[in-house]
Structure formats: C-alpha cells, structure tokens
Amino acid sequence: MVSLPCFHQYSHVRSVGFSKKIQHLKKFSNWIHVTKEGGSFYSELFKSFSLICLCVVFRPFHVEHRNIVENEPSERVSAEASVLSSRVHYYSRLTASSDRLLSPPDHVIPCQEELYVYSPLGMAFKVTGGDGGAKNPSIITIFAIWNTMMGTSILSIPWGIKQAGFTLGIVLLISMGLLTLYCCLRVLKSPKRTTISYIDTSDWEFPDVCKYYFGKFGQWSSLVFSMVSLIGAMVVYWVLMSNFLFNTGKFIYMICPFPNTHLPPPVICPFPDTGDHKGNSGISGLYLNTNNYGNDTSDTAVFDRWWSKTNTIPFYLIILLLPLLNFRSASFFARFTFLGTISVVYLIILVTLKAIRLGFHLEFHWLESTQFYVPEFRLLFPQLTGVLTLAFFIHNCIITLMKSNKHQENNVRDLSVAYLLVGLTYLYVGVLIFSAFPSPPLSKDCIEPNFLDNFPSSDVLVFVARTCLLFQMTTVYPLLGYLVRVQMMSQVFGKHYPSFFHVFTLNIFIVGTGVCMAKYYPNIGSIIRYSGATCGLALVFVFPSLVHMISQKRRGELSWPSAIFHSLLIVLGVANVAGQFFM
C-alpha cells in the first residue's frame, strides 16, 4: 500500500496491471452498488470524491490492496509507482502548483497514457479524453477563425475601397491584412513559457499577459478596449437590424396585397444630392425613386409614418431584444452561430450574380475625380484602414480559438491560412461590388456604407439576404451582450450575474446607445471605423508590440531592427486613430 498525493488537480501515479474493467472517471456517479455493510456511505463517498479530486488539493489517502467494490483480488501497487508517488509528493511540498520554478520535472510526471485517478476505495481510473477530445483538425480551426472574423465589416468593404480609391484600397487591404496577422501572431505567442519564465501560462488569455507586464493598468485597459470593440459591434448590429427590418417590412408591404408590377431598378443611389453624391441629381428617376411601387400615395404616407428606418424601427427592436439580453445563459443562442456561415456564403453568391448581371464599369483616373468615377488614390484612405482594423480583428479571442487546434505546432500556418481566406473574401466582395457598380449612369460615390442599401427593397435576392442577416444578428446580439456582461461584471463585482438590477442597468445602457446611433447617426461605416481604430490601437498595435519588445529585452534578444519595427507599428496604430478624426 502507498499514500498518494493529489497533484495539479489530479491524484495520479503510474499503475501496472489494474483490472481492464476500470473505465473513465465519469462512471463514478453510476457506481452505487457497494458492500452490504456500508452501501449508502460509500455511494455518497463515490459521488463526492469525483468532484473533490478534480478541484482541490487534499491530504494523502490510503489505497487498499483489494477491490472493495467486487470480491475479486487486484494487484498491489507496484514499487515503481510507490517511488514515483513519493517524488511527486516531495515536489508538491516544496512549492505551489502555479510556480514553475520548483515544480516536478517532466521525468517525474507520468505521460498522458499512464495517468490514473485513485479513489480512497482502492480503485484506479485511467485518465482518458481530457482536452484531447475537444481538439479539432487544422481545417476546422481555419474555418472557425474565418467564420468568427466574417462579421458586419464585409458590408462596408466596398464603401471603404471607394473612400480610399480603387487601387490604393486594394493595396491597403492586403497591407492591413499582413500587419494584423503579424500582430495576431504576437498575441498568440505571448503566453508561451519561453516568454514568461517560471509561471504556468497554459490557461492565460491576453488580458492576463497584459496584467503580468503592465499591472492593473494593463488588465483594465485591455478590458476597456475589448468593451469598445464589443459594444461597437452591438451598436452596428442595432443599426443594421433596424435597416434590415425596415427593408423587409417594406418589401412585404410593396407586394401585399397588390403585387408589384413594375420592374425595380438594378441599383439605386439613395441620397443623390447629399454628401459626395454630387453629379447624380440629373440621373433618371428610374435609379432614384423606388418608394411608390404598387401602392397608393396616401397609404404610403401612413406606412412611412409608422415604419420609419430611424424614427420607429429602432424602438420596435427594444421589445424583442431587451428581454433576450437578460437571460442568464446564452447557450440557446449559441446554437444558431452556423447562420453566420450561411449568410456570408449567400452574400458571396449574391455579389457574384449581381456582378454577372451588371458587368464591370471601371475607368482609371489616378488623382482627379470625374462625374462618375473616383480617383485611384484619395486622402480619405484612413476611413478604410479603420474599417479593416475591425474587419481583421480577432486578437482578443485568438488564444482561446487556437487552444482547440489538434496540432499546436501548426498554429502559425493555420492562422496564416485563415487570414488569407478572410482577406480573399473581403477582396472578392469589395472589388466585385465596386467594379460592377453601374457608372454611368451612377457615380461611384453613390456606394453606401452598407452596400445592400444600393439595391432596392423590392429586389427578391437582396430581400433574402436581408432576412437571413436579420435573423442571424437577432441571435448573435444576445451573445455579444453576454460577453460584455461576463467580462465587465466579473471584473467589477466578481460575478457573471451579480443581480438582475445590475444586468438590467447595463443592458439599458447598451440598448440606449444602439437606439441613439440608429436614430441620429445610422452610418455603419463610420461606427465601424471609429470603434475599429480605437480598440485596434491597444489590442492590435500597442500591447502586442510592447509585450514582444519587453519579453525580448528580458531575454536579452532585443535588437535595434526589432525595436524600430515594433515602435513603427505603435506609431501606425496612433496614426490610424488620428486619421479617423482628421480625414
């Protein structure tokens, strides 16, 4: 017999020759038939121990020679296992499990295939599964990253290319993809033990890394900028849901009860006489007016009063979405995340069909604009870089996503392939929409921050896209609210759900922000670029670069080229934010 300590959340030691009937620890709760003398006692002990041995470090316990669940004799614990147990027990007395300095070396700890959990009743259960059961192959990891990054920014890519100019827009899209990929790799590698010595960082996220290097300031600042990205996304969602609900209702109104007998224009310019849309006031009304198809003018006036994109729809959404935000768990809504993939695939098909129907309309004017075309290089290019910062933003959750990768040695390759797919998707949608936009008769300046607004409400294919996106965003919005609540409440109150009053107050603030933006400033392009540049400043450019330089400095590996390059990244992040306000 031997006393076995519980070390690193498992009481484990090498075991030789135990019965093959022994199965996974999960079967503990089912083993309730024990000896006649102490059935109820040992039944409860089985259930309790299955939790205790996985959660706390407790005093050494005794392993019997015989299997007391059955009357069959079982082999003694081997001498080798006894020696190994003594070594583990010795090291566990020297230091805490979170300190890597005096933790047991690898040759003391059994390999994964030889780990067992021992019960006080003399049973040994082989540790199988664990994290290994949740590992994904590279292809699943790549498309998980692609699906996570494919958000609302894809709707603003054509507008961003228009703001920067066609040629410069393509160059910036590729450049921003490479820069954000490099910074994402820096975030991914930041918790590795080669960077932070003597501390077990296997469960660390990037805010933990920031806390280690910058103290409370790093922890709270990373939280604040993460909140900016999440709340900014929720505001964009509210604006888009108001837009999609408005156009969906308008489509239904236009075909019921009188089907539309007019052919809608293929593309429209919603605001021809405002902003940069000059030169479109004389364009045929076929491309400008789509309000009165198949319905009487008096009926339309009543409909427009109660079904307004900015005055009524944002408030109607409160009735639906505010109760959903107060759910304790978001597991129900997580089941619909696959709709994001379906929506993006449908958008790609829609863009392809529209490009085939409209053809390509391109003229290259390098520095001067014309009535129908924009120059290839424009000073408004920071608006595109702000959008792209959020479009390529996955830095606050990349560590969690990559932990499920089956082959950790391929993390750099898989992340690079995922970024390549994301960049190609953005490039495909942006280039096709910009190139196929009919100029003449419309100016390229008519391309809207949400390119679906350039298609009439009566377009059936676009109606399907808006309906799918509306349903998808309705299910994702509570998930984003749950993430905001968990991160904020756990940091401030130490609980994910401190009380209904706290959660309801936070949700009122989030919903109120979305309603105000949808009513007074429903420009998703500007909202995306401001929030993207702001959160990207810290989580994309500044913190990853500083963490990398500090870790190199501590290891004595920091060189002048590395210091200059990463300092330049920080300068670019600051310039990106400044450009949103001055360009």
Side-chain angles (χ1 to χ4, degrees):
M1 54 187 173
V2 61
S3 296
L4 302 173
C6 181
F7 179 76
H8 282 285
Q9 298 183 334
Y10 290 97
S11 178
H12 56 256
V13 73
R14 187 185 306 272
S15 175
V16 180
F18 278 96
S19 173
K20 293 184 178 180
K21 296 180 181 180
I22 296 173
Q23 301 297 328
H24 192 268
L25 180 61
K26 291 181 180 179
K27 294 187 178 181
F28 259 27
S29 59
N30 298 326
W31 289 31
I32 57 176
H33 300 292
V34 292
T35 57
K36 297 180 180 179
E37 294 80 9
S40 60
F41 170 76
Y42 285 115
S43 174
E44 292 299 320
L45 187 57
F46 260 120
K47 297 177 182 179
S48 301
F49 181 74
S50 64
L51 298 176
I52 295 174
C53 71
L54 295 175
C55 301
V56 298
V57 178
F58 49 92
R59 296 180 64 83
F61 51 82
H62 186 72
V63 178
E64 297 286 349
H65 292 280
R66 296 175 59 84
N67 184 341
I68 66 171
V69 177
E70 300 176 3
N71 291 325
E72 301 175 359
S74 58
E75 292 188 28
R76 288 176 174 268
V77 177
S78 66
E80 182 183 9
S82 178
V83 173
L84 189 62
S85 171
S86 300
R87 291 176 181 171
V88 172
H89 194 191
Y90 171 74
Y91 278 103
S92 65
R93 289 296 186 92
L94 291 178
T95 183
S97 61
S98 62
D99 190 350
R100 299 290 302 171
L101 183 60
L102 294 175
S103 59
D106 293 337
H107 70 274
V108 173
I109 306 299
C111 61
Q112 179 67 30
E113 293 76 12
E114 297 175 332
L115 294 185
Y116 290 82
V117 177
Y118 282 81
S119 116
L121 305 179
M123 296 299 297
F125 292 81
K126 185 173 178 58
V127 177
T128 60
D131 293 337
K135 299 297 183 180
N136 298 320
S138 294
I139 188 66
I140 300 298
T141 303
I142 290 171
F143 278 98
I145 297 173
W146 176 84
N147 187 38
T148 304
M149 294 176 68
M150 283 288 107
T152 56
S153 301
I154 193 174
L155 300 175
S156 296
I157 296 297
W159 172 81
I161 292 178
K162 180 258 294 187
Q163 295 298 90
F166 184 66
T167 302
L168 182 58
I170 294 176
V171 173
L172 287 177
L173 196 153
I174 297 174
S175 301
M176 287 296 295
L178 293 175
L179 286 177
T180 51
L181 169 61
Y182 176 79
C183 294
C184 195
L185 290 173
R186 296 273 66 87
V187 172
L188 181 62
K189 295 181 179 181
S190 61
K192 300 300 182 181
R193 295 173 182 175
T194 55
T195 301
I196 306 174
S197 304
Y198 310 130
I199 295 180
D200 185 2
T201 61
S202 57
D203 294 328
W204 278 24
E205 299 293 341
F206 193 59
D208 300 312
V209 178
C210 294
K211 180 181 179 180
Y212 175 83
Y213 282 103
F214 309 111
K216 286 292 185 180
F217 170 79
Q219 180 185 16
W220 284 98
S221 58
S222 62
L223 173 66
V224 169
F225 285 107
S226 180
M227 290 298 99
V228 169
S229 66
L230 289 173
I231 295 178
M234 296 184 73
V235 170
V236 172
Y237 269 46
W238 199 277
V239 175
L240 285 175
M241 285 187 293
S242 301
N243 183 310
F244 296 150
L245 182 59
F246 168 77
N247 284 284
T248 300
K250 191 173 181 180
F251 175 86
I252 297 174
Y253 171 76
M254 289 164 55
I255 65 173
C256 297
F258 306 105
N260 183 11
T261 58
H262 296 77
L263 290 176
V267 179
I268 62 173
C269 187
F271 309 103
D273 298 316
T274 60
D276 294 326
H277 302 165
K278 56 186 178 181
N280 294 296
S281 57
I283 297 173
S284 171
L286 179 64
Y287 284 87
L288 304 179
N289 186 8
T290 61
N291 292 326
N292 301 320
Y293 285 108
N295 290 284
D296 184 72
T297 305
S298 60
D299 294 337
T300 302
V302 175
F303 175 79
D304 291 340
R305 184 186 311 140
W306 293 102
W307 197 257
S308 171
K309 185 188 297 185
T310 57
N311 294 329
T312 58
I313 300 296
F315 296 94
Y316 294 160
L317 287 174
I318 298 177
I319 302 175
L320 172 64
L321 295 175
L322 184 57
L324 300 181
L325 288 177
N326 294 288
F327 282 18
R328 284 182 174 269
S329 173
S331 58
F332 172 76
F333 305 103
R335 301 174 184 176
F336 299 95
T337 53
F338 70 94
L339 293 174
T341 303
I342 297 176
S343 300
V344 173
V345 172
Y346 182 80
L347 275 179
I348 295 174
I349 297 174
L350 174 66
V351 168
T352 304
L353 295 177
K354 292 297 182 182
I356 294 174
R357 178 185 178 186
L358 296 172
F360 293 104
H361 305 267
L362 287 174
E363 284 187 11
F364 295 92
H365 302 272
W366 298 105
L367 298 176
E368 295 181 359
S369 61
T370 63
Q371 180 181 4
F372 299 110
Y373 297 94
V374 296
E376 301 301 303
F377 300 91
R378 304 183 73 180
L379 293 178
L380 297 175
F381 70 88
Q383 297 184 10
L384 175 59
T385 60
V387 171
L388 291 175
T389 304
L390 192 61
F392 287 110
F393 181 74
I394 198 176
H395 301 63
N396 59 343
C397 61
I398 188 60
I399 296 176
T400 301
L401 287 174
M402 297 306 293
K403 282 179 181 178
S404 62
N405 196 9
K406 185 176 182 179
H407 301 286
Q408 291 293 304
E409 67 276 9
N410 296 331
N411 279 352
V412 174
R413 182 202 66 185
D414 295 344
L415 182 59
S416 302
V417 173
Y419 260 83
L420 176 63
L421 292 179
V422 170
L424 290 177
T425 305
Y426 288 150
L427 199 62
Y428 183 83
V429 172
V431 169
L432 253 64
I433 290 294
F434 184 90
S435 302
F437 195 83
S439 300
L442 298 178
S443 170
K444 296 290 186 183
D445 264 323
C446 279
I447 298 177
E448 290 295 306
N450 172 13
F451 75 81
L452 294 180
D453 286 343
N454 288 115
F455 300 99
S457 300
S458 53
D459 191 313
V460 177
L461 293 177
V462 179
F463 163 76
V464 174
R466 287 169 174 149
T467 304
C468 292
L469 288 170
L470 175 61
F471 185 72
Q472 181 233 342
M473 291 182 180
T474 303
T475 58
V476 173
Y477 189 84
L479 285 176
L480 295 176
Y482 178 77
L483 293 176
V484 172
R485 180 212 311 168
V486 167
Q487 292 190 31
M488 185 173 294
M489 295 298 180
S490 60
Q491 289 291 332
V492 177
F493 300 103
K495 299 179 180 178
H496 294 171
Y497 202 100
S499 71
F500 176 80
F501 174 77
H502 290 85
V503 174
F504 186 74
T505 303
L506 175 63
N507 292 335
I508 286 291
F509 169 76
I510 295 174
V511 169
T513 304
V515 170
C516 291
M517 296 300 290
K519 178 174 176 57
Y520 298 107
Y521 194 70
N523 187 326
I524 67 164
S526 294
I527 299 173
I528 289 174
R529 67 186 179 91
Y530 282 119
S531 60
T534 302
C535 70
L537 172 64
L539 300 179
V540 176
F541 296 104
V542 175
F543 283 156
S545 299
L546 287 179
V547 166
H548 183 66
M549 287 191 290
I550 294 174
S551 63
Q552 281 190 322
K553 177 70 174 178
R554 292 181 178 180
R555 296 195 306 266
E557 300 175 358
L558 182 63
S559 60
W560 280 109
S562 177
I564 293 174
F565 175 74
H566 291 92
S567 299
L568 182 60
L569 287 180
I570 297 175
V571 173
L572 289 177
V574 175
N576 188 28
V577 174
Q580 309 309 315
F581 297 94
F582 298 106
M583 293 293 185

